[in-house]
């Protein structure tokens, strides 16, 4: 059995509800989704109802995700959103641990673990982002950092929830406008480490957890990352913020994926 190809984008703090709905509608009309593929879009919270309205018409098979969630079911947490609130909108996935959440909002691994467990216990898919900063890399502790984020983030996850888990490896130094694009040689050893970390945590079943790569991916380099044996998909920012860019980057990534060998037994 091979792991599926996953491809998606996070719009961060961009797009009005109308802009998100139009993007989603045009995307759904522009792509044909092979059976071994899952696409997803992660708009701001305020766009979720509008996007889900569009999805509600015909089912397009594109997952709609949220950019964060709180671990508590309800309570005195002004400004936060609960898993139940996302469930009520039929949201398919939640992104946790994006580098910007860790950096600007000081989210810790322990808090992220609480969020992961809360989302999974409500049967919501989780995309957990991990990645080392430039400073951590310069001290030679990039791999250690990523493994720590993974081990704490996924601590206590029950085997029956593993099929809801995806990992995005996003080296912090490579993401966003100021980022330095990574090479496949940079990504390969860390992806391998994540794969073996998942296997250590969950024995054989950890091998099936999809690992996505993200950081300055575009149509010119997408296939070089997905050709790596431990990279099963892409999590893309800027290059996928137009429908054309999304489709072109996705196609390039799928081509690389199709050439790779991801048999997991
Ligand atoms: C990101 O911010 O998660 C990201 C992958 O951005 P970009 O593709 O624009 O580097």
């Amino acid at each position: 059995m091979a792991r599926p190809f996953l491809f998606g984008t996070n719009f961060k703090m961009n797009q009005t509800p109308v802009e998100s709905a139009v993007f989603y509608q045009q995307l759904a009309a522009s792509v044909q989704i092979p059976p071994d593929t899952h696409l997803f879009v992660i708009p701001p919270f305020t766009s979720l109802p509008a996007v889900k309205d569009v999805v509600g018409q015909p089912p397009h098979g594109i997952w709609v995700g949220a950019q964060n969630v709180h671990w508590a079911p309800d309570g005195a947490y002004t400004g936060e959103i609960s898993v139940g609130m996302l469930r009520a909108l039929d949201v398919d996935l939640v992104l946790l641990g994006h580098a910007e959440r860790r950096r600007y909002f000081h989210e810790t691994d322990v808090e992220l673990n609480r969020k992961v467990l809360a989302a999974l216990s409500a049967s919501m898919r989780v995309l957990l982002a991990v990645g080392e900063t430039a400073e951590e890399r310069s001290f030679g502790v990039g791999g250690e950092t990523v493994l720590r984020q993974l081990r704490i983030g996924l601590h206590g996850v029950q085997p029956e929830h593993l099929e809801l888990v995806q990992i995005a490896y996003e080296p912090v130094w490579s993401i966003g406008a100021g980022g330095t694009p990574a090479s496949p040689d940079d990504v390969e050893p860390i992806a391998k480490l994540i794969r073996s970390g998942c296997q250590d945590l969950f024995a054989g079943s950890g091998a099936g957890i999809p690992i996505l790569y993200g950081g300055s991916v575009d149509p010119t380099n997408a296939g070089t990352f997905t050709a790596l044996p431990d990279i099963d998909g892409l999590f893309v920012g800027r290059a996928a913020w137009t429908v054309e860019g999304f489709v072109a980057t996705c196609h390039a990534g799928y081509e690389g994926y199709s050439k790779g060998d991801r048999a997991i037994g």
Side-chain angles (χ1 to χ4, degrees):
M1 198 177 86
R3 293 183 297 271
F5 175 66
L6 286 104
F7 184 93
T9 189
N10 160 28
F11 279 100
K12 308 189 179 186
M13 198 173 71
N14 297 295
Q15 284 192 336
T16 63
V18 170
E19 287 167 342
S20 300
V22 168
F23 178 92
Y24 192 93
Q25 214 151 21
Q26 291 178 350
L27 179 64
S30 312
V31 286
Q32 289 202 320
I33 306 174
D36 54 351
T37 295
H38 297 292
L39 305 185
F40 59 92
V41 291
I42 308 184
F45 284 128
T46 46
S47 289
L48 290 171
V51 174
K52 287 307 284 191
D53 267 0
V54 178
V55 183
Q57 294 151 22
H60 302 307
I62 303 175
W63 293 339
V64 178
Q67 296 180 13
N68 186 21
V69 77
H70 197 267
W71 59 79
D74 48 43
Y77 298 103
T78 301
E80 294 292 322
I81 300 282
S82 73
V83 173
M85 293 170 189
L86 297 182
R87 282 318 259 162
L89 293 177
D90 223 7
V91 164
D92 305 290
L93 168 130
V94 63
L95 167 63
L96 293 171
H98 188 276
E100 288 151 13
R101 298 289 323 168
R102 292 178 188 266
R103 177 176 176 196
Y104 300 124
F105 304 99
H106 315 294
E107 289 196 350
T108 66
D109 291 318
V110 172
E111 287 167 348
L112 287 166
N113 177 243
R114 296 174 80 178
K115 294 180 177 201
V116 166
L117 296 179
L120 292 178
S121 66
S123 301
M124 183 169 287
R125 286 186 191 89
V126 165
L127 177 60
L128 176 67
V130 297
E132 79 284 6
T133 63
E135 188 180 50
E136 287 158 341
R137 184 176 188 234
S138 73
F139 283 109
V141 295
E144 259 170 77
T145 300
V146 167
L147 270 187
R148 188 204 67 231
Q149 293 171 342
L150 187 79
R151 287 199 179 121
I152 300 178
L154 297 185
H155 183 81
V157 169
Q158 297 303 305
E160 67 267 26
H161 289 149
L162 282 184
E163 62 182 24
L164 298 172
V165 174
Q166 287 67 220
I167 304 296
Y169 170 50
E170 299 204 299
V172 182
W173 48 271
S174 81
I175 66 175
T180 311
S183 72
D185 287 346
D186 294 320
V187 174
E188 185 166 25
I190 307 277
K192 204 169 166 186
L193 209 58
I194 295 173
R195 176 77 53 219
S196 61
C198 288
Q199 280 167 319
D200 290 348
L201 278 171
F202 303 109
S205 32
I209 296 179
I211 302 173
L212 287 68
Y213 173 70
S216 297
V217 174
D218 62 27
T220 66
N221 62 14
T224 64
F225 297 116
T226 48
L228 297 172
D230 289 306
I231 295 295
D232 310 308
L234 297 167
F235 186 36
V236 179
R238 294 155 297 155
W241 287 350
T242 62
V243 172
E244 301 70 33
F246 187 110
V247 172
T249 314
C250 182
H251 277 162
Y254 188 73
E255 249 182 67
Y257 165 85
S258 309
K259 290 181 200 144
D261 177 12
R262 283 170 195 76
I264 58 168

